[in-house]
Amino acid sequence: MDYHIYHMFPKLLNLYGDHGNIITLEYYASQLGLNPILHEIDDVNNIDWDNVDFMLIGGGSDREQALVTEQLGLIKDKIKEEMEKGLPILAVCGGYQFLGNYYQATNGEKLAGLGILDFYTVGQTQKRMIGNALVQTQDFGELIGFVNHAGETFHDLSPLGEATSGYGNNLTSSIEGIYYKNMIGTYLHGPLLPKNPQLTLFFIKTFMKRKGLPYDDSLIDLSFENKAREMMKQRILDNSVNKDDFY
Ligand code: GLN
């Protein structure tokens, strides 16, 4: 069965190796007998909405975010519609900020968000939130990641989890991300999926469920991934992120 992976604006929204998420998804999808097909979208007219199985909106600098704002705005209703229907979406950092009503960049410029969820982000110049993070979630256990953002996100929606090491959505709260239907918005950057196979498998499992296909990941060997996770977690705990170290 074909598995259509959509990577939105990969040349602009691809900070800190967000593309690693795609490679991982392709790898696990193949292991589970799927045929992953990657669509790298630079023009929103090239989306075949009947065949979108996963969407990644990655992170970008303020400048790059400004460059894609208009194009993304053209498909905001469609993204919302698909999200409500349960499309698995991973929106990282700048991509996550886009889902809200607006992102006020650090230079004060207000970039329109897609407004598909009711929240907002304000960039501040006092301190960048940078560093590794451990996030405890109810649905996916412990997530390991890396954050680097100036924007502070504020919302009352259902969060992805809580950062027990490193930064969450803003400087005053350890709440991290948003989890809505099958959409995950998070500040955890770059190779999030390789570090957290449980998330990768969640996206694929959700796809299979939506297609009415049987899902069985019992043959997937995660021992290497789990070893890497343990090592990374230990490193984070040993260097316990001191928020005051980062500017
Ligand atoms: N420009 C945004 C910020 O700094 C997003 C950066 C990113 O995607 N890492 O908050």
Side-chain angles (χ1 to χ4, degrees):
M1 154 91 51
D2 290 343
Y3 179 51
H4 294 277
I5 299 172
Y6 274 75
H7 190 178
M8 304 301 287
F9 304 101
K11 293 191 191 86
L12 292 169
L13 301 182
N14 183 27
L15 270 182
Y16 316 120
D18 282 341
H19 183 70
N21 293 320
I22 298 289
I23 297 170
T24 306
L25 206 57
E26 288 176 320
Y27 171 70
Y28 283 97
S30 305
Q31 291 225 323
L32 288 163
L34 298 172
N35 175 36
I37 299 172
L38 177 60
H39 304 262
E40 298 192 309
I41 299 298
D42 298 310
D43 175 347
V44 294
N45 292 310
N46 297 336
I47 301 175
D48 171 12
W49 288 101
D50 291 333
N51 286 301
V52 180
D53 298 321
F54 171 86
M55 182 176 275
L56 170 69
I57 312 177
S61 67
D62 288 10
R63 178 185 156 272
E64 288 155 339
Q65 280 180 261
L67 290 174
V68 303
T69 297
E70 201 180 310
Q71 277 265 319
L72 271 180
L74 298 174
I75 51 167
K76 63 181 178 187
D77 293 341
K78 204 57 206 163
I79 296 182
K80 183 168 174 64
E81 187 186 320
E82 294 302 321
M83 182 187 72
E84 293 292 346
K85 284 197 285 192
L87 174 66
I89 301 174
L90 175 61
V92 178
C93 202
Y96 163 37
Q97 295 170 348
F98 267 125
L99 301 175
N101 297 323
Y102 64 85
Y103 168 55
Q104 185 174 314
T106 46
N107 66 4
E109 188 189 353
K110 213 167 181 176
L111 303 177
L114 302 178
I116 63 178
L117 289 171
D118 189 17
F119 71 91
Y120 65 95
T121 303
V122 178
Q124 45 76 42
T125 48
Q126 185 197 347
K127 180 189 271 192
R128 271 195 90 76
M129 288 159 265
I130 306 178
N132 290 314
L134 289 178
V135 174
Q136 313 305 324
T137 77
Q138 224 169 46
D139 302 272
F140 310 107
E142 185 166 64
L143 299 179
I144 297 175
F146 166 80
V147 303
N148 185 351
H149 58 111
E152 291 191 279
T153 294
F154 300 94
H155 68 72
D156 297 321
L157 304 162
S158 162
L160 175 61
E162 178 166 11
T164 47
S165 186
Y167 292 97
N169 280 336
N170 55 58
L171 285 167
T172 44
S173 156
S174 52
I175 291 301
E176 208 293 309
I178 285 185
Y179 180 29
Y180 177 78
K181 304 254 167 150
N182 295 319
M183 191 283 295
I184 289 175
T186 180
Y187 274 113
L188 299 178
H189 242 300
L192 170 68
L193 297 188
K195 282 180 188 155
N196 300 284
Q198 70 274 36
L199 266 190
T200 319
L201 294 174
F202 159 75
F203 285 125
I204 296 174
K205 184 179 176 168
T206 305
F207 160 73
M208 299 251 211
K209 211 163 139 194
R210 294 182 89 209
K211 292 282 178 200
L213 296 170
Y215 173 83
D216 177 11
D217 65 10
S218 58
L219 291 180
I220 293 198
D221 176 11
L222 294 180
S223 51
F224 191 70
E225 287 86 337
N226 288 333
K227 238 185 227 168
R229 277 172 62 78
E230 264 321 300
M231 220 177 111
M232 190 62 204
K233 179 178 170 180
Q234 209 42 55
R235 193 182 291 173
I236 294 174
L237 292 175
D238 288 349
N239 299 306
S240 181
V241 180
N242 179 350
K243 297 182 183 184
D244 295 327
D245 286 347
F246 299 112
Y247 280 87

